Each structure stands twice: as structure tokens, then as C-alpha cells.
């Protein structure tokens, strides 16, 4: 059993946020690298490690950097070159792989997302707005940087994500993380998610050099995803035969009832007690449901993590796991409203892992945005895929299957970034870097991060 250096690992990698949460995601541009490093040194003692996450504390704080951010801080060229190609390119440049086309194209993203001005990301999570105020105000006064984007997140009043589902149920368990796996939770080698430990191949993943920078760090991808709740409700109403049927179709789209109860365990009716019980709500497999009679092979959770459902293929699902640490934002669309009110709401999807391409991008490209892997042809994920009015979703059933057609787009990408979430010692290493000689102030639109150094 690998022993994880809990006091060096940023807490969000190994620990979940509270169910009741209020938070702020803050993005900064580095204007003056020397002053920015002094600011980071001040912030360092406030960064929450996995060792002190559980202590009574008013808030947790974690910090990540884009490639441009690392370059601006003066990370040497040799280290910059050791980061993966997709991280260096950035999320916007990976739009073909991610399927970010049409309405999801980076040209329509909220500025400055996807642009050259996003260098540092700070995530602060508290239990109440009162506890959030002080750390956010302090973070707003940091020297050497400009706050370029702020998104407030918080648990919707319903306690569910905006489409109405209990979220944050299933995630892989990291061996060595000191918590016990819940029933049905896969235990995965920590190197799948953290640099410096063996991954499922038995060897540590190739991480950034030097070790002082890479150790206990990982990649982080975040995506602001707008949820068109009114469109989802209208689609259910127009497609279903009754209010009960609406709930069944919603469950067949996600793979769980809105309460969180998995269709795999309760295929015909919801079971809210099961949905709320962490000892039971993730303890299921797909191998006994090869045709998807209970959980359609195209349902969101079966695509995003096919579990043992691909056991008779060559695909090794354990190397494509994603660790999710997202949060919801925006006001709830009141019950029964079927017209969009124009409000911005959705989730900030956060991926953590050792490989952006093998984990996040693979899941997005091969499992969510394509159907071939499951014999579903061109069908995309019915919840988060870019279906744009022409999508379809097959619901196997006896005696005849149902096929939902004319699926609209329920989710639109508002922007996102690839970041690196370093360990705490690596953060100190970053703040001690010599300033690049004559570092100029940021040129907002230089196409190449090296130009900014
Ligand atoms: C607005 C966007 C999204 C919404 C509303 C959403 C919603 C949900 C819900 C309700 C669940 C079931 C609860 C749970 O198991 O935690 C779930 C599970 C999951 N989602 Fe999403 N999701 C979104 C985007 C994504 C994206 C972009 C990815 C990956 C690239 C993803 C990957 C997963 C994974 C891996 C699971 C767990 C599956 C399992 O282990 O059974 N989701 N999502």
C-alpha cells in the first residue's frame, strides 16, 4: 500500500467538499511576477492540505496554475517542456478533441476563459456565505495579480444539481488515501491521479520535472457548463406519456433516478432511501445487464464510467477514471417553469488526474461524445453531449426498445482551462524561483506564453 504524503497534497485531490457549501472560484492574471510570488508566499500557509482538511476550519483553499501562469512565474524552459502536450496547448486549443464546436466553440466562451490572461486559479470553499467573505476579500487584495474572473458557487436550495439530480456520488477511491472505500467504490492506484506514486501500470506516471515541482501534484481541468433546465423539462414533458414516465426517461438519460438511486439496483421505480445511502447507492455493476435493459449503455453514468460493462472488450476502464470535484452555480429555476429565465446556472466541472489525454479527454471524446464504443453509432451523451436538436438516445426495453429523438443541447460550455495543481512543497518551490530577467508586464494577447516571460 503506497503511503501518501497527505500534508503535501492539496486537500481537494483526496477530500470532498462539504455537502452544504458556498464557494468562489477566482482566476487571476499575473501582472508582476515578483510581487505575485510574494503574494503566493503569503497565501501558502492558508492552502489546505489533505492532512488538515478534516480539522474544524472556516474554509478550504486550493491553488492551481495554467501553463502560461507557470511560464510567467519563471518556471525554467526545461520544466515547462516536461508538461504534457495538451496541458501546454490549453483547453481551448483542444477543441477538436473535446468536441467544443458550434455553440461550445471557444470563440463563444465567457472572456477571459480560454484566453491568454488566465494564469492562477484559486478555489475557496466554505460552509456559509459569512465564512466565505473574509478569505475572498483577502484574495481580492493580492499584489502583483489582477482578478480577471470570479464565479460564485454554492449548493442549490434543492440540494441537487440544476437538472434535479443528486450529484457527487460516485468517484474512485485512491489507495493510500486513509479513508476506507465505500461499497462498490473502485480502489485505484494513486499514481492515476497524483505524480510520484505508482499508477495502474505499476510504475509512476511521467510527470513534470524536477521532482520538486511534480511530486504530489496533478492536472486539473475545469469547465463552466451552463444547464438549460427549461429545455430539459420541456423535452421530458413532450416525450413522456405521463409524469411518472417523465421521471423514468430522466433516469434513463442519467442512469440514476433524481434521488441518486441507481437504475441498476431499482430499475422500475425510484427509491429515495437507497439514493441517499452511501453504503448502497454506488454498489452495482453492468455485466449482468449487457443489453442495457436496466441502465441504457448510452446513459450518462454508464458512458462516463462503464465499470465492468466493457469487460469483454480490449478497453481497460481503470486507466480512464476521472476524479470529479465540481460545484453548482446560479439560481435554481423554480419548479414547474418551462421557459428559460435567462439566468446563468450550471456546474463547474472539475477533473483531477495524472493525464488530461488518457483520462479527461478520452472520456469526453470516446465515451461521452461518441457511441461506437458501446455499439450506439453516432449517439452522444444524452445529458451533456452536443445534441443540438438532432440527437437520439436508445432505451432498450422489452418487447420493444424506445428511441428518444430530436434531443436538444441541454448543456453549453461557457469556457474552461487546463491547470496544474502542485503539491505544497512545489508551491514553495515556485515562489522561490528567480524572477525572469526584466520580466515585462503581461501583454494581454501574446499568442505564446514564452513571449510573456
Ligand atoms: C452539466 C454537466 C454535467 C452534469 C449535470 C452531470 C451530472 C451527473 C450526475 C447527476 C451524475 C450521477 C451522480 C454521481 O454518480 O455522482 C454524474 C456522474 C458522473 N459524471 Fe457527470 N455531469 C456533467 C458533466 C460531466 C462531464 C463533462 C464528465 C466527464 C468528462 C462527467 C463525468 C461523470 C462521471 C465519471 C460520473 C460518475 C459515473 C459513475 O462512476 O458511475 N460528467 N454526472
Amino acid at each position: 500500500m503506497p503511503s501518501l504524503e497527505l500534508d503535501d497534497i492539496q486537500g481537494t485531490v483526496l477530500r470532498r467538499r462539504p455537502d452544504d457549501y458556498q464557494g468562489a472560484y477566482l482566476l487571476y492574471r499575473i501582472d508582476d511576477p515578483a510581487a505575485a510570488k510574494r503574494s503566493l508566499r503569503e497565501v501558502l500557509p492558508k492552502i489546505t492540505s489533505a492532512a488538515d482538511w478534516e480539522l474544524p476550519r472556516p474554509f478550504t483553499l486550493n491553488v492551481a496554475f495554467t501553463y502560461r501562469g507557470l511560464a510567467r512565474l519563471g518556471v525554467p524552459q526545461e520544466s515547462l517542456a516536461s508538461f504534457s502536450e495538451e496541458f501546454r496547448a490549453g483547453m481551448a486549443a483542444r477543441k477538436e478533441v473535446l468536441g467544443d464546436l458550434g455553440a461550445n466553440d471557444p470563440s463563444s466562451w465567457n472572456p477571459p476563459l480560454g484566453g491568454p490572461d488566465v494564469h492562477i486559479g484559486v478555489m475557496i470553499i466554505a460552509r456559509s456565505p459569512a465564512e466565505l467573505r473574509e478569505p475572498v476579500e483577502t484574495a481580492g487584495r493580492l499584489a502583483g495579480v489582477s482578478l480577471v474572473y470570479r464565479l460564485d458557487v454554492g449548493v442549490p436550495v434543492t440540494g441537487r444539481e440544476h437538472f434535479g439530480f443528486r450529484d457527487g456520488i460516485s468517484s474512485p477511491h485512491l489507495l493510500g488515501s486513509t479513508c476506507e472505500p465505500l461499497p462498490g467504490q473502485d480502489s485505484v492506484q494513486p499514481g492515476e491521479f497524483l505524480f510520484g506514486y505508482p499508477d495502474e501500470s505499476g510504475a509512476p506516471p511521467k510527470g513534470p520535472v524536477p521532482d520538486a515541482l511534480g511530486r504530489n501534484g496533478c492536472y486539473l481541468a475545469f469547465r463552466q457548463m451552463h444547464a438549460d433546465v427549461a429545455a430539459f423539462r420541456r423535452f421530458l414533458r413532450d416525450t413522456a406519456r405521463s409524469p411518472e414516465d417523465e421521471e423514468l426517461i430522466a433516469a434513463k438519460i442519467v442512469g440514476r433516478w433524481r434521488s441518486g438511486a441507481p437504475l441498476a439496483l431499482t430499475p422500475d421505480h425510484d427509491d429515495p432511501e437507497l439514493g441517499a445511502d452511501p453504503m448502497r447507492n454506488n454498489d452495482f455493476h453492468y455485466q449482468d445487464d449487457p443489453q442495457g435493459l436496466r441502465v441504457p449503455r448510452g446513459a450518462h453514468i454508464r458512458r462516463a464510467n462503464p465499470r465492468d460493462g466493457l469487460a469483454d472488450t480490449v478497453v481497460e476502464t481503470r486507466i480512464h477514471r476521472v476524479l470529479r470535484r465540481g460545484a453548482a452555480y446560479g439560481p435554481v429555476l423554480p419548479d414547474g417553469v418551462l421557459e428559460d429565465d435567462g439566468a446563468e446556472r450550471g456546474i463547474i466541472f472539475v477533473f483531477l488526474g495524472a493525464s488530461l489525454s488518457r483520462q479527461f479527454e478520452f472520456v469526453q471524446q470516446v465515451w461521452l461524445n461518441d457511441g461506437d464504443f458501446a455499439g450506439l453509432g453516432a449517439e452522444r451523451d444524452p445529458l451533456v453531449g452536443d445534441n443540438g436538436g438532432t440527437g437520439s438516445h436508445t432505451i432498450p426495453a422489452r418487447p420493444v426498445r424506445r428511441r428518444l429523438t430530436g434531443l436538444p443541447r441541454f448543456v453549453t460550455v461557457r469556457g474552461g482551462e487546463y491547470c496544474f495543481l502542485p503539491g505544497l512543497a512545489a508551491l514553495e518551490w515556485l515562489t522561490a524561483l528567480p524572477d525572469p530577467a526584466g520580466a515585462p508586464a503581461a501583454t494581454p494577447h501574446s499568442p505564446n506564453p514564452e513571449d510573456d516571460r
Side-chain angles (χ1 to χ4, degrees):
M1 174 76 77
S3 134
L4 302 187
E5 293 161 10
L6 299 182
D7 53 359
D8 193 46
I9 297 169
Q10 293 207 50
T12 187
V13 185
L14 299 181
R15 311 289 186 228
R16 294 172 47 140
R17 55 163 168 68
D19 286 338
D20 224 2
Y21 64 94
Q22 295 294 323
Y25 288 35
L26 309 169
L27 300 180
Y28 298 89
R29 180 186 63 223
I30 299 173
D31 299 321
D32 173 347
K37 278 181 270 189
R38 282 195 297 277
S39 292
L40 281 169
R41 267 196 292 277
E42 278 166 35
V43 171
L44 252 173
K46 300 197 168 120
I47 296 177
T48 320
S49 75
D52 55 9
W53 190 268
E54 312 292 353
L55 298 175
R57 53 175 54 259
F59 62 89
T60 60
L61 189 148
N62 291 119
V63 181
F65 302 84
T66 62
Y67 179 66
R68 285 173 190 275
L70 295 175
R72 279 269 323 127
L73 287 178
V75 170
Q77 189 51 45
E78 188 196 345
S79 297
L80 290 174
S82 68
F83 283 89
S84 68
E85 189 190 333
E86 59 281 2
F87 172 68
R88 285 182 278 135
M91 187 182 276
R94 302 289 288 176
K95 66 179 194 171
E96 306 281 344
V97 173
L98 295 170
D100 286 343
L101 306 168
N104 292 338
D105 192 282
S107 58
S108 313
W109 287 3
N110 290 355
L113 300 178
D117 279 355
V118 182
H119 299 155
I120 304 180
V122 172
M123 294 158 283
I124 305 175
I125 301 284
R127 282 172 208 274
S128 69
E131 287 177 333
L132 191 63
R133 198 165 309 124
E134 187 274 325
V136 170
E137 274 172 20
T138 309
R141 290 194 297 265
L142 295 176
V145 293
S146 303
L147 185 65
V148 288
Y149 200 68
R150 170 177 175 169
L151 195 67
D152 292 305
V153 294
V155 60
V157 286
T158 54
R160 308 268 174 90
E161 61 74 45
H162 286 285
F163 293 118
F165 294 85
R166 181 189 294 273
D167 200 3
I169 301 173
S170 177
S171 73
H173 168 256
L174 270 70
L175 286 164
S177 63
T178 67
C179 8
E180 287 298 308
L182 291 163
Q185 206 183 7
D186 261 0
S187 288
V188 179
Q189 290 292 340
E192 288 296 313
F193 302 102
L194 281 166
F195 296 120
Y197 303 91
D199 65 16
E200 289 289 312
S201 74
K206 190 171 164 298
V209 296
D211 192 50
L213 173 62
R215 189 164 184 78
N216 290 319
C218 66
Y219 289 116
L220 179 157
F222 78 85
R223 262 158 112 66
Q224 181 177 343
M225 303 181 87
H226 171 75
D228 189 345
V229 178
F232 188 65
R233 288 179 186 169
R234 280 197 308 274
F235 179 77
L236 293 178
R237 186 204 51 190
D238 295 346
T239 314
R241 300 164 188 142
S242 65
E244 294 72 40
D245 194 39
E246 278 192 31
E247 289 310 299
L248 180 65
I249 291 179
K252 294 283 187 185
I253 284 177
V254 170
R256 290 182 184 272
W257 299 89
R258 296 200 211 227
S259 70
L263 274 178
L265 298 180
T266 176
D268 302 321
H269 57 84
D270 194 2
D271 181 347
E273 257 179 53
L274 168 61
D277 183 354
M279 299 307 283
R280 295 187 294 146
N281 65 12
N282 202 31
D283 197 5
F284 61 89
H285 296 281
Y286 298 126
Q287 224 180 4
D288 53 353
D289 182 22
Q291 293 171 327
L293 286 165
R294 270 177 278 160
V295 188
R297 283 171 297 158
H300 176 64
I301 66 163
R302 190 162 175 169
R303 283 175 174 269
N305 177 17
R307 301 187 184 215
D308 59 351
L310 301 179
D312 51 355
T313 70
V314 293
V315 182
E316 173 52 90
T317 51
R318 295 171 72 77
I319 63 169
H320 303 300
R321 299 305 309 277
V322 299
L323 199 55
R324 293 174 301 143
R325 292 285 185 254
Y329 69 92
V332 167
L333 186 70
D335 243 2
V337 175
L338 295 176
E339 289 309 319
D340 188 29
D341 60 356
E344 189 53 42
R345 60 173 64 82
I347 62 165
I348 297 291
F349 174 86
V350 174
F351 154 87
L352 299 172
S355 172
L356 289 163
S357 60
R358 174 165 57 80
Q359 295 171 319
F360 171 66
E361 291 188 346
F362 178 91
V363 171
Q364 176 74 26
Q365 182 181 30
V366 179
W367 287 349
L368 298 188
N369 273 342
D370 199 353
D372 271 350
F373 81 99
L376 296 167
E379 281 189 9
R380 296 174 178 190
D381 187 293
L383 183 71
V384 305
D386 186 4
N387 286 303
T390 54
S392 60
H393 177 49
T394 306
I395 304 178
R398 292 211 174 98
V400 278
R401 66 170 195 191
R402 272 174 98 170
R403 192 141 189 275
L404 309 183
T405 53
L407 243 76
R409 179 188 312 106
F410 298 126
V411 171
T412 306
V413 180
R414 296 288 196 232
E417 295 287 349
Y418 285 162
C419 300
F420 175 64
L421 186 84
L424 269 67
L427 259 153
E428 221 170 310
W429 183 91
L430 284 169
T431 64
L433 284 171
D435 296 323
T443 44
H445 292 296
S446 78
N448 183 342
E450 274 78 52
D451 297 349
D452 290 349
R453 296 182 60 203

